Amino acid sequence: MSTIHKVAAVQFEPTMFEKARNIARLLELCEQAAAAGAKLIVTPEMGTTGYCWFDRAEVAPFVESIPGPTTSRFAALARKHDCYIVVGMPEVDDENIYFNTAVLIGPDGIVGRHRKTHPYISEPKWAAAGDLHNQVFETPIGRIALLICMDIHFVETARLMALGGADVICHISNWLAERTPAPYWISRAFENGCYVIESNRWGLERTVQFSGGSCVIAPDGQVIAVLDKGDGVLLSEIDLDAARARRVLGEAVFAQRRPELYPELLTDTFSWNPRDFFGLYGHEPWPAGKTSQVSVAQFAPREDVDQNLSEIAALARKARAEGADLVVFPELAVTGLGNPARTTQPIPGPATDRLEELAAELGLYLVCGLAERAGDTLYNSACLVTPDGDISVYRKTHLIEDERSWATAGAGWTVVDTPVGRIGLLIGHDASFPEAGRVLALRGCDLIACPAAIKGRFSSSHAGTEVEQPKPIPTGLDPHHWHHLRVRAGENNLFFAFANVVDPKRGYPGLSGVFGPDTFAFPRREAIAAGGTGLATALVDTTNLDSIYPTNVVRRKDLVSMRMPHSYRGLVKVKNY
């Protein structure tokens, strides 16, 4: 049986109050795609009716049951061409509850549906949050999952579907407020090693400019086909074998997951006022917060601890001269990458003594990676060193295959309160696991410091869009339109300080950066390092207005508060992959 199938994303501008016209146009575009050989055709969110409804009364004439007249028409087309079609529409159930729904229709009729679980700002005026969570539908052309627009902001949704075996996530949307293909779309394909077929609407509706950019994204994050603007059919191919490999940057990430470390994903720490929650009973209250400069330093560590410490000192002095309060250095920055087992250091020990002296001299917080020796056990570790001489240690919890020959995986997370804010530590490959960043966000972290030695491609450019966007949304060329670690920051509403090794000859691209807590804030609150040894520095603000409630997104964490942890049980189940 072939594992390669032709697929299509339909891009379309529906018109409100003209349901018959919208359905006729969608059927025409789906017919075109099917005639071209597409076996899976994906159409936009609310494509049958338009999107920007004021309330239940206004949308009421246009909702339908499923199955119903509209699904019957698409089922006839699917039967005619032996294909599968995803249709977005407003649904009404037997109890007169409305949902924003995606329905998968095949040659034999309705296969399944997904009701949008995370309604966007306008939808609670008419729609209930969906109650059909994280399903994967087995078909002759692969395992298909459905998500709708805002759902994909939440790492748990796509992760659960990928854990359920999804080869392809059909993401239907009315995406806005940035140029597309959106970084979130790309990261969900990339981190889960599966395809994302994106069908987005375009055009202007009730003052809202939608972004177009329908596309097909491969399991490695490559956008393999894209339609920027206008009605049309975008054709491409998917290979089920590529999805079923479940690899990220060459690593078998699903086999490397640590479900025993993820139980906190089922909690909802931001469901209460976090300024009260994190000070409850006087235990571990949040730092007051301040405005700081945070730097990331990238260089190529060698198998010479003294030379590496000298490089660290030089970059730290430069960062301090530029106003930095905290500097993050790469993974294994102290001990080198070549054969870490040869250069391991105890903590505390001579190497960390020198880091303590440097931190005290400069009045600077330092985060450095090193190979740690603790008795007979070796770890890939990072230490946070304060100007007062305190050392906090984190041991990498998600090891790449090559590290398993010398390192033992860590057994837990490290969170440190500083004047800069609450800081969580990750190391390199840990950031490939959305669960890791989410746990630290749930613990109230303002910033994640991530020393890294990541090879390969985790960023891509954008040539620009013809879709006109309101200022200050950029539309032109962007060399770093998608950066996976920027997504990590935004999805958790925290700052992410990513310090990567830069050594192009050995495959390390650098691309270190400090990324802000809101990916839809333009101009972006971030700094990305240029090629070669050097620094990137950005302003990190963890302050709050004089209010008992959080007024800063990094403390309020809107996306974290909107999670639905009651449906996340599958994230902590131990499975074999």
Side-chain angles (χ1 to χ4, degrees):
M1 182 180 292
S2 175
T3 64
I4 299 175
H5 301 286
K6 186 174 284 189
V7 298
V10 169
Q11 187 162 287
F12 171 59
E13 181 184 17
T15 303
M16 297 184 73
F17 306 106
E18 295 189 19
K19 180 178 175 181
R21 176 260 178 194
N22 295 334
I23 292 171
R25 180 64 173 142
L26 283 170
L27 286 165
E28 177 187 342
L29 291 166
C30 289
E31 180 79 41
Q32 179 183 332
K39 291 300 179 184
L40 175 60
I41 304 165
V42 186
T43 70
E45 176 186 16
M46 297 285 285
T48 64
T49 62
Y51 178 76
C52 299
W53 299 99
F54 289 144
D55 50 34
R56 273 178 58 94
E58 191 180 42
V59 76
F62 306 101
V63 298
E64 271 190 46
S65 60
I66 297 175
T70 294
T71 57
S72 294
R73 295 181 69 181
F74 284 94
L77 193 151
R79 185 164 54 251
K80 173 184 173 183
H81 291 281
D82 190 31
C83 67
Y84 292 80
I85 305 171
V86 178
V87 178
M89 58 187 290
E91 177 195 2
V92 58
D93 73 2
D94 293 340
E95 297 177 331
N96 201 34
I97 305 301
Y98 297 170
F99 299 96
N100 180 341
T101 297
V103 55
L104 175 63
I105 302 168
D108 298 323
I110 292 171
V111 177
R113 61 188 156 177
H114 169 73
R115 292 167 171 166
K116 190 173 185 179
T117 51
H118 299 80
Y120 187 55
I121 186 169
S122 67
E123 289 161 70
K125 290 175 177 287
W126 64 269
D131 52 0
L132 305 174
H133 294 275
N134 314 312
Q135 300 175 92
V136 178
F137 304 106
E138 188 85 40
T139 77
I141 60 169
R143 303 179 194 119
I144 298 172
L146 309 176
L147 285 175
I148 304 176
C149 206
M150 187 78 183
D151 291 335
I152 212 165
H153 280 80
F154 301 87
V155 299
E156 295 88 353
T157 57
R159 190 59 144 193
L160 283 161
M161 290 171 173
L163 288 169
D167 302 310
V168 56
I169 295 172
C170 299
H171 182 237
I172 71 173
S173 62
N174 281 194
W175 203 268
L176 63 144
E178 68 176 339
R179 86 196 121 186
T180 50
Y184 277 98
W185 307 348
I186 300 170
S187 280
R188 296 298 170 255
F190 176 77
E191 71 197 11
N192 290 303
C194 67
Y195 286 93
V196 168
I197 302 176
E198 172 63 43
S199 177
N200 191 34
R201 70 158 290 170
W202 72 284
L204 191 68
E205 184 177 280
R206 283 187 167 164
T207 75
V208 179
Q209 177 63 61
F210 296 100
S211 300
S214 299
C215 59
V216 178
I217 306 168
D220 63 357
Q222 292 272 3
V223 178
I224 53 179
V226 63
L227 176 59
D228 181 48
K229 181 181 179 181
D231 285 10
V233 171
L234 178 73
L235 295 167
S236 188
E237 288 185 341
I238 62 172
D239 183 347
L240 303 183
D241 285 344
R244 293 176 182 179
R246 288 286 187 256
R247 293 194 171 267
V248 176
L249 297 173
E251 295 292 325
V253 289
F254 279 23
Q256 296 167 352
R257 292 178 72 250
R258 301 283 306 278
E260 72 277 14
L261 299 181
Y262 307 154
E264 288 164 77
L265 297 177
L266 304 189
T267 66
D268 198 4
T269 58
F270 281 79
S271 58
W272 291 87
N273 177 5
R275 299 200 80 191
D276 291 336
F277 178 86
F278 287 108
L280 194 62
Y281 314 132
H283 177 65
E284 297 180 351
W286 259 340
K290 66 188 289 273
T291 299
S292 310
Q293 296 282 344
V294 172
S295 296
V296 290
Q298 64 180 27
F299 72 103
R302 303 184 183 182
E303 284 190 77
D304 185 325
V305 173
D306 287 337
Q307 185 171 351
N308 291 336
L309 288 168
S310 295
E311 185 77 52
I312 288 167
L315 288 165
R317 290 192 171 90
K318 182 178 179 183
R320 188 58 174 150
E322 296 175 2
D325 302 285
L326 166 70
V327 187
V328 183
F329 292 89
E331 183 174 356
L332 300 174
V334 173
T335 50
L337 301 169
N339 188 344
R342 293 180 181 173
T343 54
T344 56
Q345 300 289 313
I347 302 176
T352 55
D353 288 347
R354 288 178 61 178
L355 293 176
E356 286 182 272
E357 292 169 5
L358 182 65
E361 173 196 338
L362 299 177
L364 195 60
Y365 290 81
L366 303 174
V367 177
C368 291
L370 72 165
E372 177 195 358
R373 183 176 68 255
D376 294 330
T377 307
L378 307 184
Y379 299 97
N380 184 340
S381 297
C383 58
L384 190 157
V385 183
T386 76
D388 296 330
D390 292 332
I391 300 177
S392 300
V393 179
Y394 168 70
R395 292 162 172 169
K396 189 174 183 178
T397 52
H398 299 83
L399 302 181
I400 64 173
E401 195 60 39
D402 286 351
E403 288 172 321
R404 294 168 184 265
S405 64
W406 66 271
T408 296
W413 312 103
T414 298
V415 173
V416 185
D417 285 340
T418 75
V420 173
R422 179 164 291 178
I423 298 175
L425 300 180
L426 296 177
I427 301 175
H429 190 49
D430 289 327
S432 292
F433 297 80
E435 298 91 343
R438 187 64 105 205
V439 168
L440 295 179
L442 289 167
R443 291 192 177 189
C445 287
D446 302 304
L447 180 145
I448 291 176
C450 183
I454 298 178
K455 294 180 178 180
R457 175 187 169 279
F458 50 84
S459 179
S460 60
S461 63
H462 196 298
T465 178
E466 293 183 6
V467 176
E468 294 182 5
Q469 295 279 6
K471 293 182 178 180
I473 298 170
T475 57
L477 173 69
D478 184 351
H480 305 300
H481 168 71
W482 171 62
H483 193 303
H484 189 51
L485 288 311
R486 179 194 296 126
V487 175
R488 282 284 176 267
E491 69 199 14
N492 291 302
N493 295 134
L494 46 70
F495 292 92
F496 202 104
F498 168 71
N500 197 32
V501 170
V502 60
D503 190 347
K505 290 182 179 178
R506 298 173 64 188
Y508 299 101
L511 293 175
S512 303
V514 182
F515 300 101
D518 184 351
T519 52
F520 292 89
F522 299 105
R524 289 189 173 118
R525 297 164 61 185
E526 67 182 31
I528 298 176
T533 299
L535 300 165
T537 303
L539 186 72
V540 167
D541 181 1
T542 57
T543 63
N544 203 72
L545 297 179
D546 186 16
S547 167
I548 62 170
Y549 296 103
T551 59
N552 185 336
V553 67
V554 77
R555 289 283 166 99
R556 195 174 62 241
K557 295 201 190 311
D558 301 324
L559 289 177
V560 178
S561 71
M562 289 188 281
R563 296 164 64 251
M564 294 193 170
H566 56 277
S567 65
Y568 298 163
R569 184 101 184 178
L571 295 173
V572 300
K573 290 182 178 178
V574 178
K575 296 182 179 180
N576 295 318
Y577 292 93

